[in-house]
Amino acid sequence: MSSNRNFDERGVMKGAYQVIDVFSGMGCASLGFKRAGFQIAAALEINPLRCRIYEKNIGLKPIQSDVLKIDGEDLLAEAKLRKGGKFCMIGCPPCQSFSKLSDTRSINVLKDPRSRYVNKFAKLVEETKPTAVIFENVPWMIEGPGKIFFKRYLRTLKRAGYVTFYGTVNAADFGVPQNRFRVVAISIKKRFLTKKKTEEIEKFYKNKIKKPKTVRDAIGELKSLRPGQTDRNDSLHSARNHSAKVLKMIKHVPKDGGSRTDLPRSMWLECHKKIKHGADSVYGRMSWDKPSGTITGRCTTPACGRFIHPSQSRAITIREASRIQTIPDSFEMEGSKQDLEEMIGDAVPVLLTQKIAENLLKILP
Ligand SMILES: C[S@@+](CC[C@H](N)C(=O)[O-])C[C@H]1O[C@@H](n2cnc3c(N)ncnc32)[C@H](O)[C@@H]1O
């Protein structure tokens, strides 16, 4: 490849923008950037399984390390880039401490070491000076107690010479068959910002696809399964078994969007009778002709959300969850069922990152 005049001696396409992906997970954000035409120069991830999957699919071995032990020079050396060079940085730090679904509440978020990852990411930006930076996290981070970290992030980037735009976007507005609200912050070196580029960024936050993609679009043609059955041609399309009690309940939840609250009270589980408000989506069915709710790290467990198939008597499979996350079937994944659903739930939808990356190309110098 290096002999081709379109590539440099590292096999990197000449002229392509390069990316350093911090907290790269199994590589969904990197894949979206690659699809938009970026080259991945380096990635950083602590989890060995995720690193392995990343390498298989993205073709580059991430630095497997705790981010707190890495500095900007390490990243630049790995990526063979120079400080202030022509490259971008992505950062999707673990969001559990900022998540509404987390057990972590108000004051604890300040003590949670994961909250420091946001500051660490800002420091890596300061030390490497990419042309532009993308940061993604859960909305709770800017609305909840975690916002002190985000404000500090904004201050650090401003001091380093960046202008940051941010807002909450819904992945469904970009063609992902899922309502998934996420904060996306786009930072660019101030000297590159023009009025036209500002307008492009503002357009991105207002994006609204005319006809949202639906659960049917994503999983409608997959093989029908009974609980406990696996598709002979796809080991990831494997339906979990349910206890007799849960199965009875699932069978009675009305097809195509029904909820456990539609059932007569006599059929409710004892734990649900104690709930006064909320938890309406647990044991809920997805609707065929709408985007799904947010796919989480427990997305094949009906007790954890609206994760029952629209018309079959079972929870969705790993394949169905990954389709809803716009992860292509060709993406090679391995691990236990729990590993897989956590990785899928943590991922940034591939299509959303592709759209972010395509937008970024419009504003890069
Ligand atoms: C939100 S996920 C990133 C998802 C990824 N961008 C994708 O699209 O697939 C956050 C990642 O940070 C990793 N992580 C957690 N703590 C870390 C640490 N101390 N150092 C480096 N990575 C860490 C997790 O293993 C997880 O894969």
Side-chain angles (χ1 to χ4, degrees):
M1 198 150 68
S2 51
S3 62
N4 185 320
R5 58 196 164 86
N6 291 325
F7 296 89
D8 70 14
E9 68 288 351
R10 292 169 298 161
V12 170
M13 198 192 295
K14 284 179 188 162
Y17 253 98
Q18 298 197 57
V19 172
I20 298 178
D21 186 353
V22 183
F23 308 103
S24 65
M26 63 173 173
C28 290
S30 285
L31 181 59
F33 270 73
K34 267 186 95 166
R35 283 183 168 180
F38 286 79
Q39 297 268 325
I40 312 299
L44 171 77
E45 166 61 46
I46 197 168
N47 179 301
L49 174 64
R50 295 180 184 208
C51 287
R52 232 178 15 251
I53 298 176
Y54 186 100
E55 188 179 358
K56 234 188 232 175
N57 292 284
I58 306 299
L60 175 138
K61 199 181 174 98
I63 306 171
Q64 190 200 317
S65 168
D66 181 346
V67 71
L68 299 175
K69 295 185 181 153
I70 290 286
D71 62 21
E73 267 185 31
D74 299 325
L75 288 181
L76 291 171
E78 180 74 15
K80 299 191 176 65
L81 289 166
R82 61 174 180 81
K83 184 174 179 179
K86 183 183 168 183
F87 69 98
C88 300
M89 198 180 262
I90 321 173
C92 314
C95 58
Q96 283 83 353
S97 55
F98 303 113
S99 169
K100 250 184 188 172
L101 300 173
S102 159
D103 292 329
T104 319
R105 286 289 180 262
S106 55
I107 201 71
N108 286 347
V109 76
L110 308 178
K111 292 186 182 155
D112 189 325
R114 288 173 299 190
S115 306
R116 288 195 216 119
Y117 297 157
V118 180
N119 298 331
K120 177 65 187 183
F121 179 67
K123 193 147 191 286
L124 291 174
V125 172
E126 260 187 323
E127 290 168 352
T128 58
K129 290 280 177 73
T131 311
V133 185
I134 298 294
F135 175 88
E136 185 263 7
N137 219 278
V138 290
W140 199 238
M141 179 175 174
I142 59 167
E143 293 156 11
K147 68 183 170 205
I148 63 161
F149 295 99
F150 188 64
K151 281 191 178 157
R152 200 180 291 162
Y153 174 77
L154 293 176
R155 279 201 302 273
T156 308
L157 264 73
K158 189 173 176 192
R159 217 175 37 234
Y162 294 85
V163 181
T164 300
F165 298 80
Y166 67 92
T168 300
V169 300
N170 181 2
D173 289 331
F174 294 84
V176 177
Q178 178 190 173
N179 286 313
R180 187 180 185 92
F181 293 87
R182 288 295 183 264
V183 168
V184 175
I186 304 171
S187 308
I188 179 156
K189 278 181 185 157
K190 196 173 175 186
R191 66 175 187 275
F192 296 131
L193 194 66
T194 60
K195 191 162 170 274
K196 188 157 184 304
K197 289 179 179 184
T198 304
E199 283 165 8
E200 284 296 345
I201 299 174
E202 285 167 355
K203 237 194 276 170
F204 166 80
Y205 287 105
K206 289 186 194 138
N207 200 73
K208 213 165 191 59
I209 196 167
K210 277 203 185 88
K211 195 169 174 292
K213 294 285 179 205
T214 65
V215 170
R216 192 189 300 278
D217 294 328
I219 68 168
E221 41 88 29
L222 289 176
K223 187 178 159 49
S224 192
L225 297 175
R226 290 184 306 278
Q229 193 187 3
T230 300
D231 182 345
R232 223 183 301 135
N233 300 315
D234 182 357
S235 61
L236 296 187
H237 190 40
S238 176
R240 65 157 66 213
N241 254 322
H242 302 289
S243 69
K245 202 160 144 193
V246 167
L247 191 56
K248 182 173 168 212
M249 191 166 148
I250 289 178
K251 281 184 172 160
H252 283 86
V253 172
K255 299 223 161 102
D256 204 5
S259 294
R260 68 171 174 84
T261 47
D262 296 325
L263 300 177
R265 216 177 143 79
S266 59
M267 284 192 68
W268 288 23
L269 300 178
E270 280 313 309
C271 55
H272 293 152
K273 290 182 184 160
K274 294 181 198 138
I275 300 171
K276 293 226 164 59
H277 301 289
D280 289 351
S281 62
V282 305
Y283 290 98
R285 277 190 193 272
M286 293 182 170
S287 299
W288 271 127
D289 295 313
K290 291 183 189 166
S292 78
T294 302
I295 294 296
T296 69
R298 303 292 301 279
C299 57
T300 67
T301 305
C304 296
R306 190 171 289 282
F307 299 137
I308 305 178
H309 188 277
S311 53
Q312 298 166 31
S313 299
R314 58 169 180 83
I316 58 164
T317 64
I318 293 289
R319 171 66 66 218
E320 287 164 338
S322 70
R323 287 257 185 121
I324 292 171
Q325 279 281 58
T326 60
I327 300 169
D329 290 0
S330 57
F331 196 86
E332 290 180 52
M333 292 184 275
E334 56 173 293
S336 68
K337 220 165 187 175
Q338 191 183 336
D339 288 332
L340 288 163
E341 59 182 358
E342 282 173 4
M343 287 186 287
I344 291 169
D346 275 356
V348 189
V350 176
L351 184 60
L352 176 61
T353 39
Q354 184 182 334
K355 296 293 175 190
I356 294 171
E358 285 168 358
N359 182 72
L360 199 55
L361 282 176
K362 294 182 192 160
I363 62 166
L364 288 172

